[in-house]
Amino acid sequence: MDHTAKPTIVIPGDDPVQLTGSPHLERLRKAGNVQLYGDRPETDAEKISRVADAEILINTRGVVKWPGSILKHLVKLRFITVCGIGTDSIDLETARRMGIVVSNIPGKTAPVVAEHAFGLMMAAAKRAAFQTSEVKAGRWTQMDNILISKKTLGVVGTGPIGSRMATLGRSLDMRVLAWTFHPSTARAATLGVDYVELDTLLRESDVVSLHLKLTPDSQGIIGRRELQLMKPGALLVNTGRGGLLDTAALITALQSGHLAGAALDVYPNEPISPKDPLLQCDQVILTPHNADQTAEGMDLLNEGVTDNVLAFLQGQPQNIVT
């Protein structure tokens, strides 16, 4: 990298708004020549055109994907940072081969996302969306709510967000079961959870909350079989990634009455299609992948992504994924 001139920093699709208007954008402008696009690139050619001269790419929205077929055209690119924890929008293997450093922002907004997951759980348990629509339609529909206190919460994935969700569950005197790819007795003691096999967690939990990264190992980890293992009348919450869950199988479990409800912030394809059959299910709570979109959460992410860029420019990259 030529350190005598400011590097080109491209934000190729800041939609919905993330960095636009942020005070952290001024920090970036002091360090480099920032090119910010307020709309998403619609084609592969447009992505390549926008980032062709970039040494640094800030991907503020995971819906903007960077497969190897695009990365191979970006010969000047040296660094990519995502504005969050998930890096499934980037072909990491191609980035590695090209010598592109990729960073994320792990854990910074964990309390914000976990609070959203907790809120989704409560909204599903109290039938908030269904009962609101009924009252607005002039119908005084009576439906039993679900008591959460002293029930069993199953946390799938105990990174920063899942760990915080476990803490929130324990605040309601919930028994917390957990599953992760790498459990440890020390971590179980720290979190106040019991690590169990995934099948055991599914069978015994009244609420199952997903907090895994999307990787080849976690893709489709909750499918038809796993949903059938869940307790009749249980709830499912997903604020991880849409690809963790077989949505068609979830719809079947909801329509059959096996599950009492689901609450989702993430979907296999985003934005969700207006024709998606999930929208016809009564007992679902749906939010548009915005679990960390509070004023505080946005600022934390903008601070984190800017810190990643500055650390890279100083020759000390941080939060490296690959």
Side-chain angles (χ1 to χ4, degrees), residues 150-321:
K150 300 185 185 303
K151 297 291 180 65
T152 298
L153 170 65
V155 176
V156 181
T158 53
I161 298 170
S163 296
R164 179 63 177 168
M165 183 66 170
T167 300
L168 292 173
R170 288 192 292 105
S171 73
L172 284 181
D173 296 323
M174 298 185 83
R175 172 195 181 209
V176 182
L177 301 179
W179 179 89
T180 183
F181 286 108
H182 305 290
S184 74
T185 53
R187 186 134 179 83
T190 299
L191 296 178
V193 305
D194 294 320
Y195 278 116
V196 296
E197 295 296 325
L198 183 57
D199 284 4
T200 301
L201 180 149
L202 295 170
R203 289 191 183 101
E204 297 187 13
S205 297
D206 299 288
V207 181
V208 174
S209 190
L210 307 182
H211 301 281
L212 292 171
K213 296 185 292 185
L214 186 61
T215 67
D217 289 335
S218 66
Q219 177 80 38
I221 195 168
I222 303 297
R224 187 175 304 276
R225 171 187 171 276
E226 289 74 23
L227 291 168
Q228 286 302 309
L229 285 177
M230 289 176 64
K231 280 185 178 182
L235 302 172
L236 179 72
V237 178
N238 187 11
T239 55
R241 281 292 185 268
L244 301 174
L245 175 64
D246 182 337
T247 305
L250 173 64
I251 292 168
T252 299
L254 290 169
Q255 291 176 338
S256 70
H258 177 65
L259 294 186
L264 311 175
D265 184 55
V266 289
Y267 313 90
N269 297 297
E270 298 178 1
I272 190 169
S273 167
K275 297 181 180 179
D276 194 304
L278 185 64
L279 302 182
Q280 303 306 312
C281 297
D282 285 333
Q283 300 309 332
V284 294
I285 302 291
L286 307 173
T287 56
H289 200 160
N290 68 341
D292 54 11
Q293 300 300 291
T294 65
E296 297 86 352
M298 295 272 280
D299 188 66
L300 285 169
L301 290 177
N302 291 336
E303 177 184 53
V305 81
T306 302
D307 288 347
N308 280 353
V309 170
L310 298 181
F312 176 76
L313 291 175
Q314 291 163 7
Q316 298 177 326
Q318 62 183 18
N319 302 319
I320 298 172
V321 177

